[in-house]
Amino acid sequence: MAFSKVLIANRGEIACRVMRTAKALGYRTVAVYSEADAGALHVQLADEAVCIGPARVSDSYLRVEAILDACRKTGADAVHPGYGFLSENEAFAQACADNGITFIGPTPSAIELMGSKRLSKIAMIKAGVPCVPGYEGADQADAIFIKEADRIGFPVMVKASAGGGGRGMRLVHAAADLTAALATARSEAQNAFGSGELILEKAVIAPRHVEIQIFGDTLGGCVYLGERDCSIQRRHQKVVEESPCPVMTPELRQQMGEAAVAAARSVAYVGAGTVEFLLDSSGKFYFLEMNTRLQVEHPVTELVTGLDLVEWQLRVANGEALPLAQDDITLTGAAIEVRLYAEDPGHNFLPQTGPVLRWIPADLPGVRIDHGVFSGGEVSPHYDPMVAKVIAYGKTRTDAARLLARALEDTVLLGVNSNKQFLVNLLRHPVLISGDTSTAFIEQHFSDDISLKPATADAESLAIAAALIMHRQHDAGWHTGLSGATPLKLQTGDSTQVLSIHCHADELTVSHGDITTRITVLEASDSSISYELDGVRRRCSHAREGDTLYLDRANGNLAITDTTHAAAVTADAEGDGLLRAPMDGAIVAVLVKEGDRVQKGQTLAVMEAMKIEHQLKANRDGRVASISMSEKQQVKKRQQLLMIQD
Ligand code: MV4
């Protein structure tokens, strides 16, 4: 049954991206959104939009009934699941079919099979797809795993059958450690995936992670669309995805592609799919798992093939044959993608929330930026903190890497910290540029980069901040000959610098300690400043919220607060007794009640933000005078939660 109105059961950049192609093909589009996403970009881009519940994903984006209800309300007769959320949920795919709604993806049975590492591996072995030697039997007794491990040979990898993305995976080097590893992997898998079922595999040391994009239609067609090398990962999160793989040869590509197509055909696969392989240093490859969704990194394949994979998904779901045969598919040039995250590499990649004061994506030929943010929006604590995917295309891998680093530097995100500098430095690392990378790259070559330390304000950043603050204070333009020096106290993170400023016409002399910096302001607006310093003219984007300036420098978002007139708060001074939420999030526990006596430093409550728990502590001794929070309550950054008095 041909469909004409597509509901996108997702949010953020992928929802915006799918809508773009759906509209270009003439489909009407429907967005679904949670209460927290009411102002989000994907809602603005859709023809119609339906609120499906409160912020928590289990109450909104994962609610099958709410999504089907939104289809009924709008007449949407197809659903695109995006990635994550319900995209690999066979019950959802089945529910769509039961309601006469086209699920833009594979059949429920294909989703179900590939959701089990154990059953999919058995199917792959039967289909002749190369697999890692191992044990994938139904007998889950420790004794059988111990016997099989001896047969396979250590080191071995214990994996959760229902797992994915490295969760529930254990590398075991010796027989003595196996029993304990089985126990912890089993309980972790039971808790995380609802199934403690395990498989065993020979561990492939420092492999590459190379995945093949495949596409099947409903008429028996199935092709492969090149590969993506996703070896550069951090804690099983892909950081860099690229095509072609730096060590690929036409012969190896054909072998891996045909193995991936065999995997797809064994389940009569329909739609976009990805077959993940491990590629070892000798050029042998082994089936890892098959993902039955369009992946985050699909733009890399789109750029080297010149195809639109969402267009293919819509055509195939509407019963059309694949637009191209295998021999028509060509790969040209190189493409590399990185994911811009609202997280702070300087604080162990702690997820960040906050206002998007400024969002200006780079505008460069060969650069594509898929995002779901806009100036004035916010990065919410409720969802994955990925802000954008930045992808660069070049004639060669080196060109693409160079262009991508520049595209990141040209992209302005102010108001919330990001991993921008981490990515720029990574893309400029000589070992990455050499292509000699594996899944061990970050651990081996990139564990002490400056972007992994808290950002500090260098003399130039302080001078820029001083110039902007002085400019604002004399917004009638520059006052010449200000008598004497103006003191400024600027705080960046935990460090405060006391500056002495002399203004002469457009030139400032900024002194702190024994460092003197001269900066000449050429032009200043509320979004950028151009200046000359040490004979070089530069410009810098900035934004301001209250007394805090955000400069697009150092880690991509240097926050400098003017504390010149703030009340002096020393470390051991008594705080004001007010407990405020340090960021958006949810109260997990309130540990005191009104009337309780408390001490400075005592934990009063616990809140959760971006899946991390934060202890909220008293900043003075005293008695709890009032509590304005309760468990499970959503709170905003700086909201008052509790007051302590004498
Ligand atoms: C492996 C492996 C080595 N040997 N299996 C990682 C998550 C999921 N995609 C499967 N993964 C791996 N499975 C065997 N038998 C190496 C990986 C792997 C990996 C392992 C540790 C640290 C980073 C990694 C990145 C990609 C793949």
Side-chain angles (χ1 to χ4, degrees), residues 117 132 157 159 165-166 169 201-205 207 209 231 233 236 276 278 288-289 439:
K117 276 192 168 45
V132 184
M157 202 68 99
K159 290 184 176 179
M169 193 171 76
E201 291 183 344
K202 176 88 179 143
V204 178
I205 302 306
H209 174 120
S231 301
Q233 304 190 9
H236 299 298
E276 288 186 1
L278 293 175
L288 258 186
E289 56 194 305
T439 50

Side-chain angles (χ1 to χ4, degrees), residues 10-12 32-38 40 42 51-62 85 341-342 351-353 378-387 608-611 634:
N10 217 300
R11 63 178 302 282
V32 289
Y33 63 94
S34 70
E35 290 159 7
D37 272 341
H42 75 284
C51 183
I52 50 174
R56 210 200 322 250
V57 290
S58 54
D59 296 333
S60 51
Y61 293 104
L62 296 180
F85 291 149
Y341 269 88
Q352 307 288 300
T353 62
E378 62 165 16
V379 175
S380 157
H382 305 290
Y383 310 111
D384 183 89
M386 183 168 78
V387 169
E608 191 241 287
M610 321 292 275
K611 300 181 192 125
Q634 296 291 331

Side-chain angles (χ1 to χ4, degrees), residues 429-493:
H429 193 288
V431 172
L432 183 140
I433 291 169
S434 76
D436 179 19
T437 49
S438 81
T439 50
F441 169 77
I442 286 184
E443 192 185 324
Q444 283 174 351
H445 301 285
F446 205 73
S447 53
D448 56 2
D449 187 73
I450 188 169
S451 61
L452 299 172
K453 299 176 181 63
T456 56
D458 61 355
E460 186 160 344
S461 302
L462 292 169
I464 294 167
L468 287 165
I469 290 165
M470 301 302 281
H471 183 66
R472 181 156 46 93
Q473 282 170 356
H474 302 277
D475 52 10
W478 296 96
H479 286 244
T480 53
L482 264 180
S483 61
T486 306
L488 266 188
K489 241 167 53 172
L490 299 182
Q491 183 176 349
T492 311

Side-chain angles (χ1 to χ4, degrees), residues 524-591:
S525 72
D526 66 0
S527 60
S528 79
I529 178 172
S530 57
Y531 61 91
E532 183 164 326
L533 191 145
D534 291 344
V536 179
R537 294 192 167 196
R538 295 189 181 99
R539 63 180 71 83
C540 174
S541 292
H542 65 89
R544 181 166 60 87
E545 186 185 46
D547 285 332
T548 299
L549 268 177
Y550 293 89
L551 304 182
D552 184 18
R553 290 198 35 94
N555 72 342
N557 182 68
L558 197 58
I560 299 179
T561 303
D562 178 356
T563 55
T564 311
H565 308 295
V569 178
T570 56
D572 54 8
E574 287 295 89
D576 60 6
L578 294 181
L579 178 69
R580 294 177 183 283
M583 62 191 77
D584 294 3
I587 300 299
V588 173
V590 180
L591 307 175

